[in-house]
Amino acid sequence: MDPMSKRIHLAALPYPGRGHINALMNLCKLLSLKNPNILISFIVTDEWFTFLAADPKPQNIHFATFPNVIPSELRRADDFPGFIRSIQTHMEAPVETLLRRLDPPPTAILADTFLTWAVQLGKCLNVPVASLWPMSATVFSILYHFDLLEENGHFPADLSERGEEIVDYFPGVSKIRLADLPSFFSGNGLQSVGFAVKSARFVDKSQFLISTSVYELESSVIDTLKEKFPFPVYTIGPSTPYFELESSATNDYLRWLDSQAEGSVLYVSQGSYLSVSSAQMDEIVAGVKASGVRFLWVARGDDDRFKDVDRETGMVVGWCDQLRVLCHRAIGGFWTHGGWNSTLEGVFAGVPMLAWPIFWDQFPNSKKIAEDWKVGVRFKAVGGRDLVSRVEIAEFVKRFMNSESIEGREMRNRVSELQEICRRAVAKGGSSDSNIDAFLSHISVEL
Ligand code: UDX
């Protein structure tokens, strides 16, 4: 019997944050495109359901909801450790109740790696659990092998004194400065590192590791993970809605982009929930305006700073269809906080990136962008100094958007090469495409 003809019922459990939910939903959509016979229950809080309900999705993906037992999305940025604690303590029971009520019962669980308790739930329900890691494989390896940092006297460490020290012992990970590791040396990062390390180690107990990376972009570290685990490790990235780009779309900002010269617009987005300090934001906004470069800016409600912006200087939106924007021919650069989804979207769209990391994995991602892949630049000063001035920012932006300089040309050539790698990975028979097929076959066999 063709395994694809069996009825798989996948319970998809996202960590309740935009970057995580998007990555899991995109994977679910891909699975459903590949196997229209699959049934997927996408499990979110009532609050997240209100955010997501209107988004288009295939008919075989259903939402199943549980009460708002965790703080609202808005409080995530204010109290990250508290947010994580409540995910560890308040989410499991209502999700278990819900899973036990699903009809038909789930045949597999696809859960964000941060939901460590999902592994135990799968055991109780006697179904396999695939752990979805929505950050880079590099960051996974760093967290999984966190002991090495301690053994080598690199944790804890005061980055103001030791930030330049090089770490070269994480399996498959290229040399990295202490300052470029995830921001777990102080503040909120320090308070949540235990949770992140535990999450990575819990993967030992799952039946699959699914990474939203692209094999060819991180092959050395992914090869070490494949050797380490006795179960399949599948890269399926980028987990972004490239499969929806064919459908036509128009709105005010896309029409504005249509009227702009090729490669002339800087797209500015700092992800879904974090921001730099208010004083720094003042400098950034003033600096970008002073650069004279036209911009499309995702202000997420912070509109007061942009009152003087007209359509000659730029366009400000609350939220946008990011991948579609990045793929627009008018976009010539992407100012990003270096979230993993945004990083891969920039590569997929072939747009050079200017990285300004704010928190956590955005530091190693920005290092990858600027140094490993050489598809962008970053503000070296970030993290090390209090305020970067508007004058410095204006100069930096002008240089970054200059596609004629040697540096500008090299960066653009390089990002085109990586774009090609990404497109090949998701095309029929490519590494990500084949891995999605393999995962589907695997969970069919488990039926
Ligand atoms: C955070 C981490 O930084 C990231 O590395 C991790 O993988 C998930 O949690 P976030 O800050 O939300 O994520 O950034 P990112 O990973 O870039 O995800 C943001 C998502 O929102 C992207 O898929 C992006 O396309 C989308 N987005 C953003 C929009 O669709 N529209 C917007 O206007 C802005």
Side-chain angles (χ1 to χ4, degrees):
M1 184 176 173
D2 173 7
M4 300 297 263
S5 66
K6 293 182 183 171
R7 183 79 162 162
I8 307 164
H9 181 188
L10 202 58
L13 303 180
Y15 166 94
R18 175 56 77 174
H20 295 248
I21 287 185
N22 283 8
L24 183 57
M25 178 54 95
N26 289 323
L27 173 57
C28 288
K29 286 181 177 176
L30 278 165
L31 291 167
S32 106
L33 277 175
K34 289 263 183 190
N35 181 355
N37 201 29
I38 197 172
L39 177 66
I40 298 177
S41 296
F42 199 86
I43 296 171
V44 287
T45 58
D46 290 328
E47 182 191 32
W48 268 104
F49 178 67
T50 60
F51 299 151
L52 301 168
D55 294 350
K57 60 173 177 45
Q59 286 200 333
N60 49 352
I61 301 180
H62 304 264
F63 285 112
T65 64
F66 60 98
N68 297 327
V69 289
I70 40 180
S72 77
E73 170 68 353
L74 288 177
R75 282 193 35 211
R76 180 157 66 120
D78 299 340
D79 180 15
F80 191 58
F83 184 79
I84 284 175
R85 264 195 312 278
S86 68
I87 282 170
Q88 281 175 294
T89 50
H90 302 319
M91 209 173 144
E92 180 178 356
V95 169
E96 178 169 5
T97 308
L98 198 155
L99 286 182
R100 289 190 183 280
R101 283 193 194 136
L102 287 180
D103 183 23
T107 58
I109 292 174
L110 176 53
D112 194 286
T113 306
F114 280 162
L115 308 184
T116 48
W117 40 263
V119 181
Q120 187 56 32
L121 267 184
K123 221 170 174 184
C124 292
L125 298 172
N126 201 22
V127 294
V129 176
S131 190
L132 178 76
W133 180 255
M135 287 173 244
S136 71
T138 298
V139 168
F140 181 85
S141 181
I142 291 169
L143 292 171
Y144 188 89
H145 300 101
F146 196 81
D147 292 356
L148 294 177
L149 264 185
E150 291 170 319
E151 283 165 21
N152 285 279
H154 278 136
F155 188 87
D158 178 354
L159 288 192
S160 62
E161 286 168 10
R162 301 180 57 193
E164 296 301 313
E165 286 180 33
I166 300 288
V167 171
D168 61 358
Y169 42 73
F170 289 117
V173 174
S174 59
K175 284 185 186 165
I176 184 163
R177 298 183 313 148
L178 279 186
D180 291 332
L181 289 174
S183 54
F184 45 52
F185 289 93
S186 60
N188 277 351
L190 181 60
Q191 291 174 54
S192 31
V193 66
F195 165 72
V197 170
K198 178 181 159 202
S199 302
R201 297 306 302 236
F202 247 76
V203 165
D204 284 340
K205 299 186 198 329
S206 63
Q207 283 70 52
F208 303 90
L209 173 59
I210 300 190
S211 150
T212 60
S213 191
V214 175
Y215 175 74
E216 290 79 359
L217 295 183
E218 292 194 282
S219 57
S220 59
V221 66
I222 290 159
D223 285 342
T224 64
L225 296 176
K226 285 185 172 182
E227 272 169 35
K228 173 161 284 297
F229 292 121
F231 46 75
V233 176
Y234 292 131
T235 47
I236 53 84
S239 198
T240 191
Y242 55 84
F243 43 87
E244 288 171 356
L245 288 173
E246 294 291 298
S247 65
S248 65
T250 189
N251 54 45
D252 207 24
Y253 60 81
L254 288 173
R255 277 192 295 275
W256 180 79
L257 283 177
D258 287 344
S259 68
Q260 303 304 313
E262 185 164 345
S264 65
V265 176
L266 175 69
Y267 170 64
V268 185
S269 165
Q270 297 186 324
S272 61
Y273 73 109
L274 292 165
S275 195
V276 297
S277 71
S278 180
Q280 185 62 76
M281 197 63 192
D282 287 344
E283 296 305 304
I284 292 176
V285 173
V288 173
K289 283 178 187 167
S291 74
V293 170
R294 289 201 180 162
F295 53 80
L296 173 61
W297 202 305
V298 181
R300 291 194 336 235
D302 185 12
D303 295 341
D304 284 354
R305 288 189 165 90
F306 299 96
K307 282 195 174 124
D308 58 338
V309 171
D310 59 25
R311 294 167 89 92
E312 289 303 308
T313 22
M315 178 108 198
V316 180
V317 293
W319 191 252
C320 70
D321 186 345
Q322 178 162 298
L323 186 65
R324 204 177 282 275
V325 163
L326 284 170
C327 290
H328 195 287
R329 54 155 197 78
I331 299 294
F334 179 13
W335 178 309
T336 176
H337 68 315
W340 184 239
N341 296 298
S342 293
T343 300
L344 287 185
E345 285 162 11
V347 171
F348 184 86
V351 175
M353 285 169 270
L354 189 165
W356 184 302
I358 303 172
F359 184 53
W360 199 241
D361 64 323
Q362 297 154 17
F363 291 90
N365 296 346
S366 300
K367 183 250 183 188
K368 229 181 238 311
I369 288 170
E371 287 177 21
D372 298 344
W373 295 342
K374 299 183 172 50
V375 295
V377 291
R378 63 174 165 168
F379 273 93
K380 281 262 164 41
V382 177
R385 238 177 27 196
D386 286 336
L387 210 63
V388 183
S389 75
R390 58 190 66 192
V391 177
E392 203 176 331
I393 290 168
E395 279 311 308
F396 205 85
V397 166
K398 267 194 262 182
R399 256 202 337 269
F400 169 66
M401 289 298 283
N402 181 358
S403 55
E404 298 305 320
S405 65
I406 295 177
E407 186 196 17
R409 272 208 302 270
E410 280 175 1
M411 207 160 61
R412 283 163 180 81
N413 288 341
R414 186 76 190 124
V415 76
S416 298
E417 284 167 24
L418 263 57
Q419 174 187 35
E420 188 50 36
I421 287 173
C422 259
R423 304 240 168 178
R424 274 206 301 268
V426 299
K428 196 161 173 46
S431 57
S432 296
D433 180 71
S434 312
N435 281 339
I436 293 173
D437 286 341
F439 175 60
L440 274 172
S441 301
H442 246 111
I443 55 176
S444 308
V445 169
E446 304 269 350
L447 286 178

